[in-house]
Amino acid sequence: MSVFVQGFALGAALILPIGPQNTIVLRQGMLRRYAFLAATYCVISDMLLITTGVLGGAAFLQRYPLLMLAMTWMGVVFLLWYSYELIKTLYQPISAEVEGVAVNSLSQLLLTLTAVTWLNPHVHLDTLVLLGSLGSQIPAELRLTFAAVAISASIVWFYLLSSISSLLSAKLMQPRIQKVISLTVVILLLTLAFRLATEGVLMWQHYG
């Protein structure tokens, strides 16, 4: 029972804080565009990262620090570009903004989710290192159970978030609320880009 409680509590603690993944899923649910796909992408990503971490993925990252450095700067470049594109929509009428997302949203959605998930060292530290180190302290026969319970927290949260935002789409699509959500996404993405750039400079100084 303690494995179930620890796994679910830790999984929820890492997922529930508002971040780029959550705001992107919320936005897609609000637009009723690929909300289920966005939630599924996040769940599958967490599934892979958490399982890899529990099975020893932290050692791999420590062995190849330059790979993490390259991923960090790729993430910075992409997040800055996408933030710029999103900022431009803030000056468009709400109908034009939604229409623009509808035309090009699938490829943009997948690229953005990839950047904020797979090119984000914080995600790797949370899932691979933190959960991995805790999972390594659990008896080997219970590690996959621990990972599965942590993953279940991700499943519940992301599908709940996409469903609720879709149900409340009519209210969330009001121009003022839409602008606030879009601005929130921009701030979170720029904050993440700044944090990644800071860490990228520190890593470059350390390994350069």
Side-chain angles (χ1 to χ4, degrees):
M1 180 60 69
S2 62
V3 172
F4 280 87
V5 173
Q6 291 178 36
F8 193 87
L10 286 170
L14 296 176
I15 295 164
L16 292 182
I18 296 299
Q21 277 187 324
N22 288 334
T23 53
I24 290 169
V25 172
L26 174 65
R27 181 178 173 81
Q28 294 306 128
M30 176 183 60
L31 295 170
R32 292 183 177 175
R33 293 280 179 176
Y34 309 115
F36 182 82
L37 176 61
T40 301
Y41 186 100
C42 293
V43 168
I44 292 176
S45 297
D46 282 355
M47 185 183 303
L48 294 173
L49 288 166
I50 291 172
T51 303
T52 302
V54 171
L55 296 181
F60 179 83
L61 287 180
Q62 295 172 355
R63 191 178 306 170
Y64 299 101
L66 292 180
L67 175 62
M68 180 64 72
L69 178 62
M71 292 173 61
T72 297
W73 285 108
M74 289 171 60
V76 170
V77 171
F78 180 83
L79 290 173
L80 289 176
W81 171 80
Y82 185 65
S83 296
Y84 170 73
E85 292 295 319
L86 195 55
I87 287 172
K88 291 193 299 184
T89 68
L90 294 175
Y91 298 97
Q92 299 175 358
I94 187 65
S95 58
E97 179 180 348
V98 174
E99 194 63 30
V101 172
V103 171
N104 202 19
S105 62
L106 180 56
S107 60
Q108 203 170 48
L109 170 65
L110 295 177
L111 284 172
T112 305
L113 286 174
T114 298
V116 301
T117 302
W118 294 96
L119 299 181
N120 182 359
H122 291 285
V123 173
H124 299 152
L125 290 174
D126 286 344
T127 54
L128 292 179
V129 178
L130 178 58
L131 282 175
S133 62
L134 293 172
S136 65
Q137 301 174 22
I138 296 174
E141 64 273 13
L142 294 176
R143 288 177 187 171
L144 287 179
T145 300
F146 175 83
V149 176
I151 292 167
S152 70
S154 176
I155 294 173
V156 171
W157 172 249
F158 282 117
Y159 286 125
L160 184 64
L161 183 62
S162 66
S163 299
I164 291 177
S165 59
S166 295
L167 289 174
L168 299 178
S169 176
K171 292 185 177 181
L172 293 175
M173 284 300 293
Q174 296 177 19
R176 182 175 298 180
I177 295 178
Q178 171 70 194
K179 297 298 183 183
V180 169
I181 292 176
S182 296
L183 182 60
T184 301
V185 174
V186 170
I187 293 172
L188 287 169
L189 293 180
L190 289 176
T191 301
L192 178 57
F194 176 77
R195 291 173 62 186
L196 293 186
T198 302
E199 293 180 4
V201 171
L202 293 175
M203 284 190 286
W204 178 261
Q205 293 175 343
H206 183 73
Y207 296 108

